[in-house]
Amino acid sequence: MQLSHRKLPRAAVLAAASLIIAATAGCARHSASGVTLLNASYSPTRELYGEYNTAFERYWKAKTGQTVHVRMSYGGSELQARSVIDGLSADVVTLALAADIEVIAQQGKLLPLNWQTRLPDNSSPYTSTIVFLVRKGNPKGIHDWGDLVKPGVTVITPNPKTSGGARWNFLAAWAWALKQPGGSDASARSYTHELFRHVPVLDTSARAATTTFVQHGLGDVLIGWENEALLAIREKPGDGLTVVYPSVSILAEPPVAVVDQYALQHGQRTLATAYLQYLYSKEGQEIIARNFYRPRDPQVAAQFAQQYPKIDLATIADFGGWPSVQRKFFADGGVFDQIYSKGQ
């Protein structure tokens, strides 16, 4: 099956960043009506931060008397990281994976290299995993990763070159292949090559892929974030969509960080830090759980335990950490590029 590789050129990324910068520049960071805080996030967090920002604004007003207006920028995680480096002056970033914030620290030099040590749980206030979303009645009988490469099955997943969620998807598929009898890098490469032959289009973000599957009706199965799948069911209760948990997936840990250089320029590093710290509060963790992310707080996690089935989860450490993963799988000429080119 022919793949459509929707990777935005650098010029498009810069243009998008410029539009967002222009839009936020008109709002003074400090004014008579309060202060503005900009959060650059990845696309599936719209509902989470829509609710959380309201709660934080209320909390901050009660605590300090100061009015804060949280503004959001959304997009594919890798694209968001690149936009911040190129001038999107976000006070905080809340992205899909640590590798994208590492790029901001290493290449952009906009925050310290030890950024993950500044908040609990390696600066990941919630976790998630990768699941399948199938259509009413699961007509293609999809129960595990092996079913995705059956004849006639069409798979929707975004582009790992632009989407953090897509990288988690890819690694979850690879982890499953490794755990099969006789599993090896060679068999995992063969499986993922075949998997992407079943993918008709690569959207630039996880939310765009969800839209392709749910709204546009393309594909038999969506590989995606657990929270995205559960949210789709909540928003489309009459469509009969069903979540399928594969036998093996991956522990996804989306991190958050203050972008020190921008926050200091705006005179609101204390506010930016408090904004991220409040994610770990009871209220923050409950909002996280209500939006189908897995909370870190044990009491909140226990309260929502029935919402999250236990499955076998690989970790990024099993792959040697993000620097190794980026080089091997997602750098130009890496494993993904190799299997993608073969799928043409």
Side-chain angles (χ1 to χ4, degrees):
M1 183 177 291
Q2 186 74 15
L3 295 179
S4 174
H5 198 307
R6 293 186 184 173
K7 181 177 179 181
L8 293 183
R10 180 178 176 81
V13 177
L14 289 170
S18 298
L19 288 174
I20 299 170
I21 294 166
T24 58
C27 301
R29 294 286 186 169
H30 297 265
S31 69
S33 63
V35 298
T36 300
L37 183 80
L38 179 59
N39 175 0
S41 196
Y42 64 108
S43 58
T45 64
R46 290 177 186 271
E47 293 74 19
L48 167 61
Y49 284 109
E51 183 177 354
Y52 174 76
N53 291 345
T54 299
F56 177 78
E57 290 168 0
R58 182 176 58 245
Y59 157 78
W60 192 249
K61 178 71 172 181
K63 179 178 180 178
T64 69
Q66 184 181 50
T67 299
V68 58
H69 305 285
V70 182
R71 300 290 180 256
M72 298 298 303
S73 167
Y74 294 106
S77 188
E78 192 273 341
L79 294 178
Q80 289 291 76
R82 179 53 55 189
S83 294
V84 170
I85 292 171
D86 290 337
L88 176 62
S89 57
D91 301 287
V92 300
V93 287
T94 56
L95 298 181
L97 41 84
D100 290 332
I101 301 182
E102 283 293 321
V103 170
I104 298 172
Q106 294 176 1
Q107 295 183 17
K109 304 188 186 305
L110 297 175
L111 68 159
L113 296 177
N114 70 340
W115 62 272
Q116 278 192 292
T117 67
R118 301 194 296 183
L119 289 169
D121 301 308
N122 290 321
S123 291
S124 295
Y126 44 84
T127 68
S128 190
T129 191
I130 301 306
V131 302
F132 307 148
L133 186 65
V134 299
R135 303 203 182 278
K136 185 176 182 178
N138 193 7
K140 294 297 179 76
I142 294 166
H143 302 289
D144 210 347
W145 292 97
D147 298 321
L148 304 189
V149 295
K150 290 179 178 177
V153 173
T154 302
V155 179
I156 301 300
T157 184
N159 186 349
K161 304 291 280 191
T162 57
S163 165
R167 279 172 274 176
W168 288 118
N169 294 355
F170 186 97
L171 294 176
W174 193 276
W176 174 83
L178 286 179
K179 292 194 175 187
Q180 301 316 294
S184 64
D185 266 16
S187 64
R189 181 186 291 262
S190 177
Y191 170 74
T192 51
H193 172 215
E194 182 60 26
L195 174 63
F196 278 87
R197 288 175 60 85
H198 290 250
V199 179
V201 60
L202 291 174
D203 290 296
T204 58
S205 72
R207 177 53 58 88
T210 301
T211 299
T212 293
F213 182 77
V214 176
Q215 303 293 340
H216 300 162
L218 181 62
D220 301 303
V221 55
L222 170 72
I223 308 174
W225 294 99
E226 178 182 48
N227 58 285
E228 278 285 272
L230 294 173
L231 179 66
I233 291 172
R234 184 175 73 183
E235 293 189 343
K236 293 280 190 176
D239 286 5
L241 299 170
T242 303
V243 175
V244 173
Y245 284 84
S247 61
V248 176
S249 191
I250 193 162
L251 176 65
E253 298 180 290
V256 302
V258 174
V259 186
D260 292 63
Q261 184 166 315
Y262 293 144
L264 287 169
Q265 286 176 3
H266 305 147
Q268 51 199 41
R269 189 178 185 283
T270 298
L271 170 61
T273 300
Y275 174 78
L276 296 183
Q277 289 174 334
Y278 198 65
L279 285 164
Y280 293 87
S281 70
K282 276 290 191 293
E283 182 177 28
Q285 291 285 290
E286 288 171 356
I287 291 170
I288 283 164
R290 285 200 297 270
N291 286 277
F292 304 119
Y293 291 85
R294 298 188 177 209
R296 292 288 196 177
D297 183 276
Q299 292 181 348
V300 178
Q303 180 184 347
F304 288 85
Q306 291 186 341
Q307 188 169 282
Y308 307 111
K310 292 183 178 180
I311 55 176
D312 184 3
L313 297 178
T315 70
I316 198 63
D318 296 334
F319 289 88
W322 275 113
S324 174
V325 166
Q326 286 292 115
R327 287 192 301 271
K328 177 177 179 178
F329 293 102
F330 307 121
D332 290 344
V335 170
F336 174 73
D337 282 351
Q338 294 166 23
I339 68 165
Y340 170 78
S341 63
K342 289 180 180 178
Q344 295 296 300

